[in-house]
Amino acid sequence: MIGHLLSAGDLDARSATLILDTAAELGNLAGREVKKLPTLRGRTVVNLFYEDSTRTRISFEAAAKRLSADVINFSAKGSSVSKGESLKDTALTLQAMGADAVVVRHPASGAPHRLAHWVEGSVVNAGDGTHEHPTQALLDAYTMRSRLGRLAGLQVAVVGDVLHSRVARSNVLLLTTLGAKVTLVGPPTLIPVDVAAAPAPGIAVSYDLDAVLPASDAVMMLRVQRERMGDSYFPSAREYARRYGLDGARMRRLPEHAIVMHPGPMNRGMEIAPEVADSPRSTIVEQVANGVSVRMAVLYLLLGGKA
Ligand code: ASP
Ligand code: CP
């Protein structure tokens, strides 16, 4: 496999499928009494987080520990970043501590790519600005494949704040590589103008959620990312929920087999109603559990673990 995982676009269908298949094998561990494998014993994984995270940080930590790697957790809050230390100097410090892999989340798009030039170990992008979140796309694809049995030919609606969503971008890249069709749905202000003007093959754009739902196998609701919004992109939260929120009535427009996804964290009552988030069609908790297996697979393949 490649030495880093920076973008979902770096994965061809073969390598993406290898990650999903490896995750499925490693996922069997979760049901065992002893969940640890000795595979990455003696290896060090650093979690370098410059932006808040619950799921991604914890699941990378769990994944590395289940493979018996040593884990160092670095959070920019409370570190010498407050004294002006740069990403490069922080990275070189971690390198000196023998990091074999650096898992990085950063508010600047492209930060993991820079990091990959400065450290010797593998770099894994855990979310960079509005750019990409490749392991989220992998765990989403894993969840769709295990719930719906396939990815090729699936119709996936990705709904909401597409403009600010690294989850949407990575999902579009990965899902189209794996043969699914993606419809981006949201208010015109929250769909990138270039994408709406000329959608790439396998991608469609719609501003009408009710029209898209009956033909969807999976609907992925995105969080409205207020922290990335300088301007007002819609009249009010209430109006947004009325047009683009997934409530019980809208969910019933989906085909019976369809699943409802959300990467988390959710704005309950805005993009998704509690009744939908907690319904049997929701895979939200499953996505988190699958995230551990997928991240184990990524670390295993990048660090060259032997069975
Ligand atoms: N947790 C995901 C991310 O960090 C999605 C979100 O925050 O809305 O990109
Ligand atoms: N889905 C996701 O990346 O969640 P966190 O921001 O909590 O890591």
Side-chain angles (χ1 to χ4, degrees), residues 49 53-60 105 126 133 135 295:
F49 277 66
S53 169
T54 297
R55 282 147 284 268
T56 311
R57 192 166 49 84
I58 291 174
S59 63
F60 266 112
R105 171 169 288 192
H133 193 350
T135 58
R295 287 166 178 138

Side-chain angles (χ1 to χ4, degrees), residues 173-197:
L173 291 168
L174 187 69
L175 287 169
T176 51
T177 297
L178 294 171
K181 302 252 183 278
V182 180
T183 303
L184 301 171
V185 187
T189 47
L190 290 175
I191 304 283
V193 177
D194 53 334
V195 177

Side-chain angles (χ1 to χ4, degrees), residues 200-215:
I203 301 167
V205 171
S206 170
Y207 307 119
D208 184 352
L209 179 57
D210 290 314
V212 170
L213 291 174

